[in-house]
Amino acid sequence: MGKLMAIALFLLMGVAPLALAGGHDYAAALSKSLLFFEAQRSGYLPGNQRVKWRGNSGLHDGKINGVDLVGGYYDAGDNVKFGLPMAFTVTMMSWSIIEYGNQMGASGELGHAMDAVKWGTDYLMKAHPQPHVLYGEVGDGNTDHYCWQRPEDMTTSRYAYRVDQNNPGSDLAGETAAAMAAASIVFHRSNPAYSRKLLNHAYQLFDFADKYRGKYDSSITVAQKYYRSVSGYADELLWAAAWMYKATNNDYYLDYLGKNGDALGGTGWAMTEFGWDVKYAGVQTLVAKFLMGGKAKNHASVFGKYQEKAEFFMCSCLGKSSQNVQKTPGGLIYKQRWNNLQFVTSASFLLTVYSDYLTSARRNLHCSSGSVAPSELLAFAKSQVDYILGDNPRATSYMVGYGNNYPRQVHHRGSSIVSVKVDPSFVSCRGGYATWFSRKASDPNVLTGAIVGGPDAYDNFADHRDNYEQTEPATYNNAPLLGILARLHGGHGGYNQLLPVEISVAEPTAVQPQPNPVKETPFAAPIAIEQKTTTSWVANGKTYYRYSAIVTNNSGKTIKNLNLSVSKLYGPLWGLTKSPSGSYGFPTWVSSLEAGKSIEFVYIHTASPAEVSVSSYTLA
C-alpha cells in the first residue's frame, strides 16, 4: 500500500484547474456540513467539540451486552445507532476525502473531515469485538420513537443487536468492511498505525461477510421497519471487494470483482439510485475507474460490463438514457417523498467523481442520445447542489443554517428541545412530545449544516416538525455532499483522478476520550438506569434470568416522587412499589434519593431485559 500511496501526482497536460464560480459559498456550506456530524455524536464529547449545545450521551451503550459500544453517530433525528447507514456514512465521507482531500485542506476543513471519519471508525471497531461478531444496532426504533427526548436524557432501551456466524449479516459486515478499508486510505499517511488497525478489521469483516452469507435484517429483525436491506447483500460484497482492492492493491479482491461480477449482479443491474441500501452504482463507478486506470488485468471484458452499467446510471441522471430518473419541475432528482435528498447527494457525488475520471481518461460519456462531455456531468451535479442551497422554486435552503430561508422546525430530538446545558431539567419520554415536539416555534438549537429530507415531487415543502418525511435530516444525506462541496469550491486540482492521490497530512484533532467509569460528567442524564444479568437457570425446559437494575441520581439534587415505567416484564419484581396506575415508585422504606446515590431492584423472567424508563420525578 506504501507504493500505492507514494505515486507522485500526475499533472494533466492541457487541463487547467477549474473552480466553478457561482452564487453560493461552497466553502461555508462545507464547513457547516461538517458541523452537523458533531451534532450527531454519541458518547463522551471531546474538549474541542464545536457544537456546544450537545452534551455526553449513551454512556452505557453496550454495557447490558457486556461490550463497550459508547460513541458513534445517531443516524437522523432519533437516538438509535443503526450500523448499516452509519457504516455507509463513513464510507462516503472517506471517499470524499480520498478524491477531494486536498481541496478540503485548502479550505481548512480536512482535519474536521478526518475527525468525522475517525469518530465513526472508532465506534465501528468497538462494534467488531471478534472476527465473526459485529454489533449492528444499539437501541431500537420502536421504543425510541415512542419517546421524544434529548440524547442526554434518553431512558429508552439501549439493548444492542449483533450478527455472527449463526445469525449472519453479509450486507452489514460488507458495508462495514468497505468503511474500514476506505478509512484506512484516509489515515495512511497521518496515522499509519491506525490505518493498519482499520485494515485488519476490514480483512476480517470481508471474510465474515463472504463466508457466512445472509441478510442482516433477518438476524437483527428490529431493523426491518427502519433500514430494511431490500437489495440484499450481493451489492455489498462487491462494494466491499472494490474498497478492499483500492486499499490493499491485492489482486485477490480484483479477481473477486471479476469472477463474481455476473453472479452477484455487478454487471447485470442497471440502476437509477445509489444509497445506503443499493450500492451497485457505486461499485460500478469504482470498477470503471479501475478499468480506465489500466488496472483490469485479465478482467477487462467483465469490467467493461460494470462500466456500461455505471454509464447507464450517469446518463439516466442527465436525462439522456432510455430510462431516466424522475425530476421535479424545478429540476431536482426525485426518487421518493421520504428523505429524497439522500438520493440527490449520493447521485451528485457519483456524477462529480465520474466527471473527473472521464477528464483524466480523456474521454466522454456515451449515452443512448449521444456523446456527453465530462463538464456536463459536473454542471448537472452543481445544479443539484445549488438547488439544495436555495436555487429552487421556493428559494429555500435545505441545509439548516445556510442562507436566510432554511427549515426552522427540524424533525430532530436534540435540536428541538432546549439544550441540557441551558436547562438541565429532565425531559421525560412522553413529556417531550407534549412540551417540545408539538411546539409551533423554531428549534431552540440550530442544527447547522444538516440536509433535511427535502421537497416533494412538485418542489413543495412544509416546514413542520411532525413532517418527518421532509424535515428529518440524516448523516448519509451529508456524507456524499462533503466531496462535492470541496470539488466545487476548490476546483479540479490539476491531477489525474485515475491515479492514487496523496492526501495532505492533517492530524485529527478530536480524539475519542477514554471514559471514566466512576466519575459522572456534568451533563450525564439526571437519572441513569443500568441493567445486567446476574444469574440464569433452566427449569421445566425454560431458561430463567435474574436481572439487577441500578437507578442512580446524577442530577445533583435530591429526587422525590420518582415514577418508573417498566414494560415487557413477564415475572416478579422486587425493590419497587407498584402504583394503581401501573407505574413503579420508591420502595416503602425509601422516600427520596439523594444526589449521587442509587437504589437497586431485581426481577426474574424468561425474556430479554424489561424496558425501564423514567416517567416523572421532582427535585427537592
Side-chain angles (χ1 to χ4, degrees):
M1 183 175 168
K3 291 182 180 179
L4 182 74
M5 297 302 293
I7 299 174
L9 302 182
F10 179 78
L11 294 177
L12 283 172
M13 298 298 295
V15 179
L18 173 64
L20 295 179
H24 289 290
D25 188 341
Y26 299 119
L30 174 61
S31 299
K32 292 175 186 293
S33 292
L34 285 161
L35 281 172
F36 170 62
F37 291 101
E38 295 193 19
Q40 296 301 105
R41 285 172 171 170
S42 181
Y44 291 86
L45 302 185
N48 62 353
Q49 170 83 6
R50 296 178 295 165
V51 179
K52 298 299 184 182
W53 50 266
R54 279 295 322 282
N56 298 329
S57 63
L59 303 184
H60 302 294
D61 283 0
K63 181 170 283 191
I64 197 170
N65 300 81
V67 62
D68 176 11
L69 295 175
V70 176
Y73 288 111
Y74 303 116
D75 71 305
D78 52 27
N79 299 328
V80 183
K81 295 192 297 201
F82 291 101
L84 183 60
M86 192 193 306
F88 178 70
T89 293
V90 170
T91 307
M92 294 308 296
M93 286 196 292
S94 298
W95 196 359
S96 290
I97 295 171
I98 290 165
E99 300 290 353
Y100 303 115
N102 290 336
Q103 286 94 325
M104 290 181 188
S107 63
E109 294 296 339
L110 178 58
H112 292 135
M114 293 173 72
D115 289 346
V117 171
K118 191 171 186 294
W119 195 269
T121 51
D122 282 351
Y123 170 81
L124 293 176
M125 286 194 287
K126 289 182 177 183
H128 181 226
Q130 300 171 42
H132 295 159
V133 173
L134 177 62
Y135 284 87
E137 184 172 332
V138 179
D140 71 88
N142 292 334
T143 58
D144 184 89
H145 288 194
Y146 180 75
C147 299
W148 193 265
Q149 292 175 290
R150 300 175 291 213
E152 297 84 358
D153 282 335
M154 61 180 167
T155 54
T156 51
S157 168
R158 301 305 287 175
Y159 188 80
Y161 303 85
R162 73 184 216 177
V163 295
D164 52 37
Q165 292 177 201
N166 298 320
N167 304 281
S170 300
D171 30 21
L172 175 65
E175 180 59 65
T176 310
M180 299 288 202
S184 76
I185 302 172
V186 170
F187 294 103
H188 174 71
R189 279 190 67 201
S190 65
N191 195 339
Y194 188 74
S195 176
R196 289 192 296 272
K197 189 176 180 182
L198 289 169
L199 206 52
N200 185 52
H201 280 277
Y203 280 124
Q204 293 179 356
L205 284 162
F206 182 85
D207 178 74
F208 175 35
D210 193 34
K211 282 185 179 177
Y212 301 96
R213 295 191 180 186
K215 285 177 57 178
Y216 95 103
D217 58 3
S218 295
S219 299
I220 304 178
T221 56
V222 293
Q224 289 180 0
K225 186 177 175 182
Y226 304 95
Y227 289 100
R228 179 184 291 274
S229 181
V230 177
S231 70
Y233 56 79
D235 52 337
E236 275 87 4
L237 289 176
L238 294 173
W239 174 246
W243 280 109
M244 290 299 294
Y245 175 69
K246 193 165 176 60
T248 66
N249 216 23
N250 186 327
D251 284 348
Y252 172 83
Y253 300 104
L254 194 77
D255 292 340
Y256 189 98
L257 290 164
K259 294 175 182 177
N260 293 283
D262 293 340
L264 295 178
T267 61
W269 282 105
M271 305 305 302
T272 57
E273 68 175 89
F274 171 56
W276 60 262
D277 180 23
V278 186
K279 313 290 167 45
Y280 282 116
V283 70
Q284 288 157 357
T285 300
L286 281 174
V287 173
K289 179 181 184 178
F290 300 156
L291 178 63
M292 289 189 285
K295 295 191 173 186
K297 299 191 176 178
N298 60 333
H299 303 296
S301 62
V302 176
F303 283 14
K305 291 195 283 185
Y306 277 96
Q307 184 170 24
E308 288 175 7
K309 297 305 187 290
E311 299 211 337
F312 176 89
F313 176 85
M314 309 300 165
C315 296
S316 70
C317 290
L318 295 174
K320 297 178 180 294
S321 176
S322 57
Q323 180 186 349
N324 297 317
V325 300
Q326 182 182 347
K327 295 189 180 73
T328 69
L332 184 73
I333 290 174
Y334 187 79
K335 175 70 172 61
Q336 65 185 35
R337 178 177 170 82
W338 191 338
N339 191 13
N340 181 65
L341 288 185
Q342 63 175 304
F343 301 106
V344 178
T345 58
S346 294
S348 298
F349 180 86
L350 293 186
L351 287 159
T352 299
V353 296
Y354 203 69
S355 168
D356 286 339
Y357 298 164
L358 290 173
T359 298
S360 297
R362 299 180 179 279
R363 62 180 296 266
N364 289 340
L365 173 67
H366 298 292
C367 297
S368 59
S369 64
S371 181
V372 180
S375 58
E376 194 169 337
L377 280 76
L378 187 59
F380 180 74
K382 178 181 180 295
S383 75
Q384 299 299 291
V385 173
D386 289 347
Y387 184 110
I388 292 171
L389 296 180
D391 292 357
N392 55 65
R394 286 180 47 88
T396 296
S397 166
Y398 295 108
M399 175 184 284
V400 177
Y402 181 90
N404 297 318
N405 183 25
Y406 54 83
R408 309 281 174 162
Q409 295 187 31
V410 183
H411 185 91
H412 187 277
R413 285 158 175 75
S415 68
S416 68
I417 302 174
V418 65
S419 170
V420 69
K421 297 184 179 182
V422 174
D423 183 357
S425 300
F426 175 70
V427 177
S428 68
C429 168
R430 301 301 291 174
Y433 273 110
T435 305
W436 296 102
F437 177 79
S438 59
R439 182 171 168 264
K440 306 301 182 185
S442 298
D443 296 331
N445 310 304
V446 179
L447 193 63
T448 301
I451 301 296
V452 297
D456 66 12
Y458 303 98
D459 302 299
N460 298 315
F461 178 80
D463 185 13
H464 302 304
R465 195 167 294 115
D466 60 357
N467 182 18
Y468 56 86
E469 292 182 338
Q470 294 189 318
T471 64
E472 186 171 19
T475 55
Y476 44 88
N477 295 11
N478 279 61
L481 193 62
L482 300 180
I484 315 170
L485 291 170
R487 172 66 173 85
L488 293 178
H489 173 66
H492 183 276
Y495 48 78
N496 189 330
Q497 210 84 1
L498 299 179
L499 294 177
V501 176
E502 193 75 52
I503 301 170
S504 303
V505 175
E507 294 289 351
T509 54
V511 177
Q512 182 93 19
Q514 294 300 313
N516 185 328
V518 178
K519 184 179 178 181
E520 290 289 345
T521 64
F523 303 111
I527 299 177
I529 300 172
E530 295 182 52
Q531 297 193 71
K532 62 181 179 180
T533 307
T534 56
T535 188
S536 65
W537 63 93
V538 177
N540 298 323
K542 293 184 178 180
T543 302
Y544 289 83
Y545 300 92
R546 181 186 186 275
Y547 294 97
S548 165
I550 307 292
V551 180
T552 304
N553 178 5
N554 296 326
S555 70
K557 297 182 180 180
T558 299
I559 287 177
K560 292 187 175 182
N561 304 316
L562 175 67
N563 281 295
L564 299 176
S565 170
V566 183
S567 61
K568 297 186 179 179
L569 174 65
Y570 310 109
L573 180 150
W574 298 270
L576 295 177
T577 301
K578 189 172 184 179
S579 71
S581 66
S583 65
Y584 291 82
F586 287 131
T588 54
W589 59 89
V590 175
S591 61
S592 63
L593 189 62
E594 295 180 2
K597 299 296 185 180
S598 302
I599 60 169
E600 179 185 20
F601 66 92
V602 298
Y603 58 92
I604 295 171
H605 67 189
T606 59
S608 299
E611 294 176 359
V612 183
S613 62
V614 179
S615 297
S616 63
Y617 63 89
T618 58
L619 295 177

